Amino acid sequence: KENKSCIFLIEAEDMEKISAFMTFIIYTVYRKQYLRAKAGNLESVNENFWFLCEEAHNLLDSTVLAKKTFNRLRKMQSEFRNLKMHLICVTLRLQSLSPKIRSTMSILCSRVSLDDYQLKVRNLLRNSEFKDIITELPKVEFVFPELDLKLTVEPFI
């Protein structure tokens, strides 16, 4: 309770086990927030939960997760904002991320490879003023297609 921030580093080769663990942690927090909301106490709690999922195209895939687990995670993810929960997915292959998960997310694009640009990003940035420079962005710059903004963040280690 004293340390509110937790980072889980998992050294496992089995994507199914990693996905199951991640889903269990998310479900535990989701259930806590859901019960708070049901009792009308969610607004009085000044907590937000942020989940960062690296290699999301591998972990949030309906072929990796059991169907029941994947559907539960998808349902929870669709209610995250209402429960002060947020899921940040990092992926190198946007087109490999499950469309069922991707459809409810806002997307930030950093420098993309030409393969990804041809497949998904060209369509995503078709009206953006940054569509021609997306393949050349430095590591700390992102394009937010929803508002057509270029964002810069401080580098972190």
Side-chain angles (χ1 to χ4, degrees):
K1 291 186 177 183
E2 291 175 17
N3 184 2
K4 301 268 182 187
S5 300
C6 293
I7 297 177
F8 295 97
L9 299 175
I10 303 171
E11 289 188 35
E13 298 292 323
D14 187 355
M15 285 294 168
E16 194 170 328
K17 286 181 182 177
I18 296 170
S19 293
F21 176 75
M22 180 189 69
T23 304
F24 172 76
I25 296 296
I26 290 173
Y27 179 73
T28 303
V29 173
Y30 171 85
R31 191 73 188 144
K32 176 181 164 185
Q33 292 296 88
Y34 177 81
L35 292 173
R36 282 179 173 168
K38 189 174 178 183
N41 296 330
L42 188 62
E43 294 306 316
S44 63
V45 177
N46 195 17
E47 283 182 326
N48 280 286
F49 293 91
W50 298 84
F51 300 95
L52 175 64
C53 177
E54 190 177 13
E55 297 291 330
H57 57 276
N58 290 328
L59 296 172
L60 298 175
D61 187 0
S62 58
T63 61
V64 173
L65 288 169
K67 186 175 182 176
K68 184 177 177 183
T69 304
F70 179 77
N71 287 336
R72 179 191 304 167
L73 183 61
R74 213 177 89 220
K75 180 188 177 294
M76 286 187 294
Q77 189 245 349
S78 68
E79 298 175 18
F80 270 12
R81 288 187 194 138
N82 300 332
L83 299 175
K84 296 184 176 185
M85 296 172 65
H86 313 278
L87 180 63
I88 301 169
C89 295
V90 179
T91 182
L92 295 175
R93 294 188 301 264
L94 182 62
Q95 73 277 8
S96 298
L97 189 60
S98 168
K100 293 176 179 178
I101 297 287
R102 190 177 63 224
S103 66
T104 60
M105 295 183 157
S106 296
I107 296 174
L108 283 176
C109 297
S110 186
R111 181 184 357 186
V112 297
S113 69
L114 288 176
D115 292 342
D116 286 342
Y117 187 70
Q118 297 294 330
L119 294 171
K120 191 72 182 161
V121 179
R122 177 177 282 166
N123 189 32
L124 189 64
L125 297 177
R126 67 183 168 275
N127 298 320
S128 173
E129 69 176 273
F130 306 108
K131 67 183 174 192
D132 295 328
I133 64 165
I134 192 71
T135 58
E136 301 164 6
L137 288 178
K139 288 183 180 180
V140 296
E141 291 186 4
F142 298 88
V143 173
F144 184 45
E146 226 170 90
L147 299 175
D148 202 28
L149 295 173
K150 187 167 77 167
L151 309 170
T152 304
V153 297
E154 292 294 318
F156 57 94
I157 299 174

PDB file of all heavy atoms in Angstrom, residues 40-67:
ATOM      1  N   GLY A  40     -20.443   3.473  -5.684  1.00  0.00           N
ATOM      2  CA  GLY A  40     -20.477   4.934  -5.801  1.00  0.00           C
ATOM      3  C   GLY A  40     -19.253   5.607  -5.217  1.00  0.00           C
ATOM      4  O   GLY A  40     -19.262   6.809  -4.955  1.00  0.00           O
ATOM      5  N   ASN A  41     -18.169   4.865  -5.012  1.00  0.00           N
ATOM      6  CA  ASN A  41     -16.963   5.421  -4.391  1.00  0.00           C
ATOM      7  C   ASN A  41     -15.841   5.725  -5.370  1.00  0.00           C
ATOM      8  O   ASN A  41     -14.777   6.146  -4.954  1.00  0.00           O
ATOM      9  CB  ASN A  41     -16.419   4.436  -3.334  1.00  0.00           C
ATOM     10  CG  ASN A  41     -17.383   4.238  -2.202  1.00  0.00           C
ATOM     11  OD1 ASN A  41     -18.153   5.125  -1.866  1.00  0.00           O
ATOM     12  ND2 ASN A  41     -17.349   3.053  -1.614  1.00  0.00           N
ATOM     13  N   LEU A  42     -16.061   5.511  -6.639  1.00  0.00           N
ATOM     14  CA  LEU A  42     -14.973   5.665  -7.611  1.00  0.00           C
ATOM     15  C   LEU A  42     -14.489   7.110  -7.702  1.00  0.00           C
ATOM     16  O   LEU A  42     -13.291   7.365  -7.768  1.00  0.00           O
ATOM     17  CB  LEU A  42     -15.410   5.174  -8.997  1.00  0.00           C
ATOM     18  CG  LEU A  42     -14.317   5.095 -10.048  1.00  0.00           C
ATOM     19  CD1 LEU A  42     -13.237   4.108  -9.626  1.00  0.00           C
ATOM     20  CD2 LEU A  42     -14.885   4.695 -11.387  1.00  0.00           C
ATOM     21  N   GLU A  43     -15.385   8.064  -7.662  1.00  0.00           N
ATOM     22  CA  GLU A  43     -14.997   9.472  -7.792  1.00  0.00           C
ATOM     23  C   GLU A  43     -14.217   9.966  -6.587  1.00  0.00           C
ATOM     24  O   GLU A  43     -13.408  10.881  -6.696  1.00  0.00           O
ATOM     25  CB  GLU A  43     -16.228  10.353  -8.040  1.00  0.00           C
ATOM     26  CG  GLU A  43     -16.895  10.090  -9.376  1.00  0.00           C
ATOM     27  CD  GLU A  43     -15.941  10.190 -10.550  1.00  0.00           C
ATOM     28  OE1 GLU A  43     -15.126  11.129 -10.601  1.00  0.00           O
ATOM     29  OE2 GLU A  43     -16.007   9.313 -11.428  1.00  0.00           O
ATOM     30  N   SER A  44     -14.441   9.360  -5.428  1.00  0.00           N
ATOM     31  CA  SER A  44     -13.728   9.796  -4.226  1.00  0.00           C
ATOM     32  C   SER A  44     -12.301   9.244  -4.173  1.00  0.00           C
ATOM     33  O   SER A  44     -11.471   9.715  -3.418  1.00  0.00           O
ATOM     34  CB  SER A  44     -14.479   9.356  -2.967  1.00  0.00           C
ATOM     35  OG  SER A  44     -14.534   7.947  -2.884  1.00  0.00           O
ATOM     36  N   VAL A  45     -12.008   8.246  -5.006  1.00  0.00           N
ATOM     37  CA  VAL A  45     -10.670   7.650  -5.036  1.00  0.00           C
ATOM     38  C   VAL A  45      -9.839   8.384  -6.083  1.00  0.00           C
ATOM     39  O   VAL A  45     -10.221   8.463  -7.246  1.00  0.00           O
ATOM     40  CB  VAL A  45     -10.750   6.142  -5.382  1.00  0.00           C
ATOM     41  CG1 VAL A  45      -9.358   5.553  -5.478  1.00  0.00           C
ATOM     42  CG2 VAL A  45     -11.574   5.417  -4.339  1.00  0.00           C
ATOM     43  N   ASN A  46      -8.718   8.910  -5.653  1.00  0.00           N
ATOM     44  CA  ASN A  46      -7.868   9.682  -6.555  1.00  0.00           C
ATOM     45  C   ASN A  46      -6.751   8.794  -7.110  1.00  0.00           C
ATOM     46  O   ASN A  46      -5.583   9.090  -6.953  1.00  0.00           O
ATOM     47  CB  ASN A  46      -7.296  10.897  -5.829  1.00  0.00           C
ATOM     48  CG  ASN A  46      -6.720  11.910  -6.784  1.00  0.00           C
ATOM     49  OD1 ASN A  46      -7.012  11.871  -7.977  1.00  0.00           O
ATOM     50  ND2 ASN A  46      -5.907  12.802  -6.282  1.00  0.00           N
ATOM     51  N   GLU A  47      -7.117   7.692  -7.724  1.00  0.00           N
ATOM     52  CA  GLU A  47      -6.159   6.755  -8.303  1.00  0.00           C
ATOM     53  C   GLU A  47      -6.490   6.523  -9.769  1.00  0.00           C
ATOM     54  O   GLU A  47      -7.642   6.376 -10.127  1.00  0.00           O
ATOM     55  CB  GLU A  47      -6.227   5.396  -7.601  1.00  0.00           C
ATOM     56  CG  GLU A  47      -5.577   5.325  -6.262  1.00  0.00           C
ATOM     57  CD  GLU A  47      -5.672   3.922  -5.684  1.00  0.00           C
ATOM     58  OE1 GLU A  47      -6.671   3.231  -5.917  1.00  0.00           O
ATOM     59  OE2 GLU A  47      -4.729   3.527  -4.993  1.00  0.00           O
ATOM     60  N   ASN A  48      -5.460   6.493 -10.566  1.00  0.00           N
ATOM     61  CA  ASN A  48      -5.565   6.049 -11.947  1.00  0.00           C
ATOM     62  C   ASN A  48      -4.608   4.888 -12.112  1.00  0.00           C
ATOM     63  O   ASN A  48      -3.530   4.871 -11.513  1.00  0.00           O
ATOM     64  CB  ASN A  48      -5.185   7.166 -12.930  1.00  0.00           C
ATOM     65  CG  ASN A  48      -6.315   8.136 -13.127  1.00  0.00           C
ATOM     66  OD1 ASN A  48      -7.284   7.822 -13.788  1.00  0.00           O
ATOM     67  ND2 ASN A  48      -6.190   9.318 -12.538  1.00  0.00           N
ATOM     68  N   PHE A  49      -4.994   3.917 -12.888  1.00  0.00           N
ATOM     69  CA  PHE A  49      -4.148   2.752 -13.133  1.00  0.00           C
ATOM     70  C   PHE A  49      -3.733   2.750 -14.595  1.00  0.00           C
ATOM     71  O   PHE A  49      -4.577   2.859 -15.481  1.00  0.00           O
ATOM     72  CB  PHE A  49      -4.895   1.460 -12.788  1.00  0.00           C
ATOM     73  CG  PHE A  49      -5.167   1.324 -11.322  1.00  0.00           C
ATOM     74  CD1 PHE A  49      -6.348   1.809 -10.784  1.00  0.00           C
ATOM     75  CD2 PHE A  49      -4.240   0.727 -10.488  1.00  0.00           C
ATOM     76  CE1 PHE A  49      -6.605   1.693  -9.428  1.00  0.00           C
ATOM     77  CE2 PHE A  49      -4.484   0.609  -9.128  1.00  0.00           C
ATOM     78  CZ  PHE A  49      -5.669   1.085  -8.603  1.00  0.00           C
ATOM     79  N   TRP A  50      -2.434   2.640 -14.829  1.00  0.00           N
ATOM     80  CA  TRP A  50      -1.865   2.632 -16.161  1.00  0.00           C
ATOM     81  C   TRP A  50      -1.168   1.299 -16.373  1.00  0.00           C
ATOM     82  O   TRP A  50      -0.337   0.888 -15.571  1.00  0.00           O
ATOM     83  CB  TRP A  50      -0.845   3.764 -16.321  1.00  0.00           C
ATOM     84  CG  TRP A  50      -1.456   5.110 -16.157  1.00  0.00           C
ATOM     85  CD1 TRP A  50      -1.693   5.770 -14.989  1.00  0.00           C
ATOM     86  CD2 TRP A  50      -1.939   5.958 -17.188  1.00  0.00           C
ATOM     87  NE1 TRP A  50      -2.283   6.974 -15.244  1.00  0.00           N
ATOM     88  CE2 TRP A  50      -2.442   7.123 -16.580  1.00  0.00           C
ATOM     89  CE3 TRP A  50      -1.986   5.848 -18.576  1.00  0.00           C
ATOM     90  CZ2 TRP A  50      -2.983   8.164 -17.314  1.00  0.00           C
ATOM     91  CZ3 TRP A  50      -2.521   6.897 -19.308  1.00  0.00           C
ATOM     92  CH2 TRP A  50      -3.012   8.028 -18.670  1.00  0.00           C
ATOM     93  N   PHE A  51      -1.503   0.627 -17.451  1.00  0.00           N
ATOM     94  CA  PHE A  51      -0.877  -0.637 -17.812  1.00  0.00           C
ATOM     95  C   PHE A  51      -0.126  -0.427 -19.111  1.00  0.00           C
ATOM     96  O   PHE A  51      -0.708   0.025 -20.095  1.00  0.00           O
ATOM     97  CB  PHE A  51      -1.922  -1.745 -17.994  1.00  0.00           C
ATOM     98  CG  PHE A  51      -2.733  -2.004 -16.757  1.00  0.00           C
ATOM     99  CD1 PHE A  51      -3.965  -1.387 -16.591  1.00  0.00           C
ATOM    100  CD2 PHE A  51      -2.264  -2.840 -15.771  1.00  0.00           C
ATOM    101  CE1 PHE A  51      -4.714  -1.613 -15.451  1.00  0.00           C
ATOM    102  CE2 PHE A  51      -3.004  -3.070 -14.626  1.00  0.00           C
ATOM    103  CZ  PHE A  51      -4.231  -2.455 -14.467  1.00  0.00           C
ATOM    104  N   LEU A  52       1.154  -0.743 -19.109  1.00  0.00           N
ATOM    105  CA  LEU A  52       1.979  -0.623 -20.293  1.00  0.00           C
ATOM    106  C   LEU A  52       2.295  -2.025 -20.786  1.00  0.00           C
ATOM    107  O   LEU A  52       2.878  -2.831 -20.064  1.00  0.00           O
ATOM    108  CB  LEU A  52       3.282   0.126 -19.982  1.00  0.00           C
ATOM    109  CG  LEU A  52       4.290   0.224 -21.109  1.00  0.00           C
ATOM    110  CD1 LEU A  52       3.728   1.024 -22.273  1.00  0.00           C
ATOM    111  CD2 LEU A  52       5.574   0.845 -20.617  1.00  0.00           C
ATOM    112  N   CYS A  53       1.894  -2.313 -21.982  1.00  0.00           N
ATOM    113  CA  CYS A  53       2.070  -3.646 -22.549  1.00  0.00           C
ATOM    114  C   CYS A  53       3.000  -3.543 -23.755  1.00  0.00           C
ATOM    115  O   CYS A  53       2.610  -3.035 -24.805  1.00  0.00           O
ATOM    116  CB  CYS A  53       0.705  -4.200 -22.955  1.00  0.00           C
ATOM    117  SG  CYS A  53       0.794  -5.797 -23.730  1.00  0.00           S
ATOM    118  N   GLU A  54       4.229  -4.002 -23.564  1.00  0.00           N
ATOM    119  CA  GLU A  54       5.185  -4.000 -24.657  1.00  0.00           C
ATOM    120  C   GLU A  54       4.995  -5.270 -25.478  1.00  0.00           C
ATOM    121  O   GLU A  54       4.577  -6.300 -24.953  1.00  0.00           O
ATOM    122  CB  GLU A  54       6.604  -3.933 -24.102  1.00  0.00           C
ATOM    123  CG  GLU A  54       7.632  -3.686 -25.157  1.00  0.00           C
ATOM    124  CD  GLU A  54       9.032  -3.548 -24.585  1.00  0.00           C
ATOM    125  OE1 GLU A  54       9.247  -3.878 -23.412  1.00  0.00           O
ATOM    126  OE2 GLU A  54       9.902  -3.136 -25.346  1.00  0.00           O
ATOM    127  N   GLU A  55       5.283  -5.201 -26.757  1.00  0.00           N
ATOM    128  CA  GLU A  55       5.047  -6.323 -27.679  1.00  0.00           C
ATOM    129  C   GLU A  55       3.564  -6.719 -27.663  1.00  0.00           C
ATOM    130  O   GLU A  55       3.208  -7.892 -27.623  1.00  0.00           O
ATOM    131  CB  GLU A  55       5.928  -7.527 -27.334  1.00  0.00           C
ATOM    132  CG  GLU A  55       7.408  -7.266 -27.450  1.00  0.00           C
ATOM    133  CD  GLU A  55       7.885  -7.075 -28.877  1.00  0.00           C
ATOM    134  OE1 GLU A  55       7.290  -7.659 -29.791  1.00  0.00           O
ATOM    135  OE2 GLU A  55       8.854  -6.337 -29.074  1.00  0.00           O
ATOM    136  N   ALA A  56       2.705  -5.711 -27.689  1.00  0.00           N
ATOM    137  CA  ALA A  56       1.262  -5.932 -27.578  1.00  0.00           C
ATOM    138  C   ALA A  56       0.718  -6.814 -28.701  1.00  0.00           C
ATOM    139  O   ALA A  56      -0.251  -7.540 -28.498  1.00  0.00           O
ATOM    140  CB  ALA A  56       0.527  -4.595 -27.562  1.00  0.00           C
ATOM    141  N   HIS A  57       1.318  -6.761 -29.861  1.00  0.00           N
ATOM    142  CA  HIS A  57       0.835  -7.586 -30.971  1.00  0.00           C
ATOM    143  C   HIS A  57       0.986  -9.075 -30.667  1.00  0.00           C
ATOM    144  O   HIS A  57       0.261  -9.890 -31.220  1.00  0.00           O
ATOM    145  CB  HIS A  57       1.552  -7.226 -32.278  1.00  0.00           C
ATOM    146  CG  HIS A  57       3.038  -7.346 -32.200  1.00  0.00           C
ATOM    147  ND1 HIS A  57       3.826  -6.336 -31.703  1.00  0.00           N
ATOM    148  CD2 HIS A  57       3.871  -8.345 -32.540  1.00  0.00           C
ATOM    149  CE1 HIS A  57       5.089  -6.709 -31.747  1.00  0.00           C
ATOM    150  NE2 HIS A  57       5.138  -7.934 -32.258  1.00  0.00           N
ATOM    151  N   ASN A  58       1.897  -9.425 -29.766  1.00  0.00           N
ATOM    152  CA  ASN A  58       2.042 -10.822 -29.355  1.00  0.00           C
ATOM    153  C   ASN A  58       1.150 -11.157 -28.165  1.00  0.00           C
ATOM    154  O   ASN A  58       0.622 -12.260 -28.072  1.00  0.00           O
ATOM    155  CB  ASN A  58       3.489 -11.136 -28.979  1.00  0.00           C
ATOM    156  CG  ASN A  58       4.401 -11.144 -30.173  1.00  0.00           C
ATOM    157  OD1 ASN A  58       3.995 -11.489 -31.271  1.00  0.00           O
ATOM    158  ND2 ASN A  58       5.631 -10.743 -29.975  1.00  0.00           N
ATOM    159  N   LEU A  59       1.005 -10.226 -27.235  1.00  0.00           N
ATOM    160  CA  LEU A  59       0.299 -10.511 -25.984  1.00  0.00           C
ATOM    161  C   LEU A  59      -1.213 -10.336 -26.071  1.00  0.00           C
ATOM    162  O   LEU A  59      -1.956 -10.984 -25.356  1.00  0.00           O
ATOM    163  CB  LEU A  59       0.848  -9.630 -24.863  1.00  0.00           C
ATOM    164  CG  LEU A  59       2.307  -9.888 -24.513  1.00  0.00           C
ATOM    165  CD1 LEU A  59       2.805  -8.844 -23.537  1.00  0.00           C
ATOM    166  CD2 LEU A  59       2.489 -11.277 -23.951  1.00  0.00           C
ATOM    167  N   LEU A  60      -1.665  -9.446 -26.921  1.00  0.00           N
ATOM    168  CA  LEU A  60      -3.107  -9.184 -27.041  1.00  0.00           C
ATOM    169  C   LEU A  60      -3.630  -9.751 -28.351  1.00  0.00           C
ATOM    170  O   LEU A  60      -4.253  -9.060 -29.142  1.00  0.00           O
ATOM    171  CB  LEU A  60      -3.387  -7.681 -26.958  1.00  0.00           C
ATOM    172  CG  LEU A  60      -2.987  -7.023 -25.647  1.00  0.00           C
ATOM    173  CD1 LEU A  60      -3.183  -5.525 -25.719  1.00  0.00           C
ATOM    174  CD2 LEU A  60      -3.767  -7.603 -24.494  1.00  0.00           C
ATOM    175  N   ASP A  61      -3.386 -10.990 -28.543  1.00  0.00           N
ATOM    176  CA  ASP A  61      -3.755 -11.654 -29.779  1.00  0.00           C
ATOM    177  C   ASP A  61      -4.703 -12.800 -29.466  1.00  0.00           C
ATOM    178  O   ASP A  61      -4.450 -13.588 -28.560  1.00  0.00           O
ATOM    179  CB  ASP A  61      -2.492 -12.184 -30.468  1.00  0.00           C
ATOM    180  CG  ASP A  61      -2.763 -12.749 -31.848  1.00  0.00           C
ATOM    181  OD1 ASP A  61      -3.927 -12.733 -32.280  1.00  0.00           O
ATOM    182  OD2 ASP A  61      -1.802 -13.204 -32.484  1.00  0.00           O
ATOM    183  N   SER A  62      -5.778 -12.876 -30.199  1.00  0.00           N
ATOM    184  CA  SER A  62      -6.772 -13.924 -29.940  1.00  0.00           C
ATOM    185  C   SER A  62      -6.227 -15.317 -30.239  1.00  0.00           C
ATOM    186  O   SER A  62      -6.788 -16.305 -29.789  1.00  0.00           O
ATOM    187  CB  SER A  62      -8.040 -13.664 -30.761  1.00  0.00           C
ATOM    188  OG  SER A  62      -7.732 -13.622 -32.130  1.00  0.00           O
ATOM    189  N   THR A  63      -5.127 -15.406 -30.967  1.00  0.00           N
ATOM    190  CA  THR A  63      -4.548 -16.729 -31.215  1.00  0.00           C
ATOM    191  C   THR A  63      -3.617 -17.163 -30.085  1.00  0.00           C
ATOM    192  O   THR A  63      -3.318 -18.337 -29.950  1.00  0.00           O
ATOM    193  CB  THR A  63      -3.776 -16.753 -32.551  1.00  0.00           C
ATOM    194  OG1 THR A  63      -2.706 -15.805 -32.487  1.00  0.00           O
ATOM    195  CG2 THR A  63      -4.683 -16.436 -33.707  1.00  0.00           C
ATOM    196  N   VAL A  64      -3.139 -16.204 -29.276  1.00  0.00           N
ATOM    197  CA  VAL A  64      -2.266 -16.523 -28.145  1.00  0.00           C
ATOM    198  C   VAL A  64      -3.091 -16.796 -26.898  1.00  0.00           C
ATOM    199  O   VAL A  64      -2.867 -17.762 -26.184  1.00  0.00           O
ATOM    200  CB  VAL A  64      -1.263 -15.374 -27.882  1.00  0.00           C
ATOM    201  CG1 VAL A  64      -0.475 -15.611 -26.611  1.00  0.00           C
ATOM    202  CG2 VAL A  64      -0.329 -15.215 -29.069  1.00  0.00           C
ATOM    203  N   LEU A  65      -4.059 -15.935 -26.645  1.00  0.00           N
ATOM    204  CA  LEU A  65      -4.904 -16.086 -25.460  1.00  0.00           C
ATOM    205  C   LEU A  65      -6.043 -17.060 -25.726  1.00  0.00           C
ATOM    206  O   LEU A  65      -6.556 -17.130 -26.840  1.00  0.00           O
ATOM    207  CB  LEU A  65      -5.525 -14.732 -25.074  1.00  0.00           C
ATOM    208  CG  LEU A  65      -4.596 -13.699 -24.469  1.00  0.00           C
ATOM    209  CD1 LEU A  65      -5.302 -12.356 -24.408  1.00  0.00           C
ATOM    210  CD2 LEU A  65      -4.142 -14.108 -23.093  1.00  0.00           C
ATOM    211  N   ALA A  66      -6.447 -17.754 -24.704  1.00  0.00           N
ATOM    212  CA  ALA A  66      -7.630 -18.593 -24.823  1.00  0.00           C
ATOM    213  C   ALA A  66      -8.820 -17.691 -25.146  1.00  0.00           C
ATOM    214  O   ALA A  66      -8.877 -16.541 -24.712  1.00  0.00           O
ATOM    215  CB  ALA A  66      -7.862 -19.346 -23.522  1.00  0.00           C
ATOM    216  N   LYS A  67      -9.755 -18.188 -25.913  1.00  0.00           N
ATOM    217  CA  LYS A  67     -10.882 -17.376 -26.384  1.00  0.00           C
ATOM    218  C   LYS A  67     -11.634 -16.712 -25.231  1.00  0.00           C
ATOM    219  O   LYS A  67     -11.955 -15.532 -25.288  1.00  0.00           O
ATOM    220  CB  LYS A  67     -11.834 -18.243 -27.209  1.00  0.00           C
ATOM    221  CG  LYS A  67     -12.944 -17.451 -27.850  1.00  0.00           C
ATOM    222  CD  LYS A  67     -13.781 -18.323 -28.755  1.00  0.00           C
ATOM    223  CE  LYS A  67     -14.859 -17.471 -29.405  1.00  0.00           C
ATOM    224  NZ  LYS A  67     -15.641 -18.226 -30.361  1.00  0.00           N
TER     225      LYS A  67
END
